[in-house]
Amino acid sequence: MTDGTATRTREVTPADLEPIQALHRRCSPGSRALRYHAGKAQLSPAGWRLLSDGERGTTLVTTPAQRMDHIIAMTNVMRTDRQGVGELAVLVEDAWQSKGLGTALAAHAAEVARREGHHTLTAAVAAQNVPMLHVLASLDASPPRVAGLVLDIHVPL
């Protein structure tokens, strides 16, 4: 991270559900709304099954290097119905934002997507989500297509 803090990122396991729910509770309603386009306080059982199903994509969790049980971010690279196109989403705990973590996680997600055979990442981003727009710009995203208050952004890999 920009302040030198070390983190670790790994694939999600079934045991991560409660720490991920705790991450959601620590995030402000605004952060959750920007990630999900709704202020959900936690993942539903169906949402967890979707995000933890390796057949549907890859979910990564990030912890401080010294606290492996404390999840501070979740990154998703999910398959879409379009061959070679993955969908990117990132949730970073409020206290860990603006330190370069989202940018680093998006770059790592792009590598994961390439390894999984994707040629493009897409992201549905709220127009007011300026931090995520900057993250995607760091990946050389194409200009967004406006779909109401949500921007459809593509990143060629």
Side-chain angles (χ1 to χ4, degrees), residues 94-113:
D94 293 28
W96 291 83
Q97 292 179 13
S98 301
K99 299 179 180 186
L101 183 57
T103 300
L105 293 175
H108 182 67
E111 302 264 336
V112 168

Side-chain angles (χ1 to χ4, degrees), residues 36-123:
Y36 294 105
H37 309 288
K40 61 170 63 180
Q42 62 182 10
L43 291 176
S44 67
W48 171 246
R49 282 191 301 277
L50 170 74
L51 295 178
S52 62
D53 180 356
E55 294 296 315
R56 301 191 82 170
T58 300
T59 293
L60 306 167
V61 291
T62 302
T63 65
Q66 304 304 321
R67 283 199 64 198
M68 301 293 281
D69 62 331
H70 184 76
I71 294 173
I72 59 170
M74 180 176 68
T75 307
N76 311 104
V77 178
M78 306 307 289
R79 289 178 184 79
T80 67
D81 59 356
R82 294 171 286 168
Q83 183 67 29
V85 178
E87 183 176 13
L88 171 67
V90 179
L91 176 67
V92 175
E93 183 178 335
D94 293 28
W96 291 83
Q97 292 179 13
S98 301
K99 299 179 180 186
L101 183 57
T103 300
L105 293 175
H108 182 67
E111 302 264 336
V112 168
R114 280 187 205 94
R115 282 196 312 263
E116 292 179 354
H118 297 300
H119 56 74
T120 302
L121 276 177
T122 186

Side-chain angles (χ1 to χ4, degrees), residues 37 124-129 133 144-152:
H37 309 288
V125 180
Q128 75 268 28
N129 191 346
L133 295 173
R145 289 185 294 193
V146 178
L149 298 176
V150 176
L151 305 176
D152 184 24

Side-chain angles (χ1 to χ4, degrees), residues 130-150:
V130 175
M132 188 61 174
L133 295 173
H134 285 289
V135 165
L136 293 168
S138 76
L139 296 177
D140 297 325
S142 62
R145 289 185 294 193
V146 178
L149 298 176
V150 176

